Amino acid sequence: MARYNRWQNENLYGAADQLSDEARRLDRGSFFKSIHATLSHVLWADQIWMSRLSDWDAPTGPSREVPLYEDWDDLKARRFAADQIFLTWSDTLSQADVDGDLEWYSGTLGRGMTSPRGVCIMQVFNHQTHHRGQVHAMLTAAGAKPDDTDIPFMPEAYF
């Protein structure tokens, strides 16, 4: 999933690069309103989850305070750096890293949480996929042409 994540981020950011900054920031009626804000939220969520699951620094500010990264080039650079760290992290995961429970404080719910670590790892990738689907729809509506998103069509170079 880390490899799929990288492929799709390159796909969507590449398509978004074809739009003007104004078009990326236009309120398109999505939960986080714009392409830029939704992609910023995905990175924020990756950072908060990985600060719980690994040694990443937690982002500053709440998830609804978007876009966390105002500058498009900064957001892209941080996204691509995070994707590389995801690959390294996933390549070194052991069963012990997946087993057991994860305890954390949810700012969204305002309380402590406990869930199986494996479920939390799945959440990271499921969350990305959910919001990238929204971005794909917004990009398509904006006239951009993102590539396919189906896992079986992932180029061999990403495996």
Side-chain angles (χ1 to χ4, degrees):
M1 290 307 297
R3 284 165 173 67
Y4 174 77
N5 174 58
R6 180 181 65 172
W7 173 50
Q8 283 305 301
N9 283 330
E10 289 176 5
N11 171 23
L12 295 184
Y13 276 77
D17 261 339
Q18 304 308 307
L19 301 175
S20 68
D21 194 53
E22 180 182 13
R24 286 191 298 267
R25 293 174 186 276
L26 182 66
D27 184 342
R28 298 181 182 277
S30 183
F31 188 79
F32 289 101
K33 299 185 178 171
S34 72
I35 293 164
H36 185 107
T38 303
L39 291 172
S40 180
H41 167 74
V42 172
L43 181 57
W44 180 94
D46 288 351
Q47 291 170 326
I48 196 71
W49 275 108
M50 292 306 291
S51 73
R52 297 167 181 160
L53 291 163
S54 185
D55 61 353
W56 290 31
D57 291 331
T60 57
S63 71
R64 305 264 189 267
E65 195 174 285
V66 293
L68 184 61
Y69 302 107
E70 280 293 335
D71 181 75
W72 176 247
D73 290 330
D74 181 45
L75 175 59
K76 282 191 319 185
R78 288 174 184 269
R79 171 76 272 162
F80 295 140
D83 288 347
Q84 187 55 50
I85 297 168
F86 262 124
L87 290 174
T88 302
W89 173 77
S90 66
D91 284 345
T92 61
L93 275 180
S94 68
Q95 191 61 47
D97 296 320
V98 177
D99 291 340
D101 288 336
L102 179 68
E103 295 180 11
W104 78 96
Y105 179 82
S106 169
T108 301
L109 298 178
R111 63 182 170 92
M113 301 287 296
T114 303
S115 292
R117 290 180 70 80
V119 169
C120 294
I121 292 169
M122 283 192 316
Q123 167 59 20
V124 171
F125 294 108
N126 187 61
H127 180 265
Q128 294 166 355
T129 300
H130 165 70
H131 285 300
R132 276 196 306 262
Q134 294 172 331
V135 171
H136 195 285
M138 288 187 280
L139 285 167
T140 302
K145 302 214 181 308
D147 292 334
D148 205 319
T149 61
D150 293 333
I151 293 172
F153 304 133
M154 187 166 68
E156 192 173 309
Y158 288 89
F159 285 99

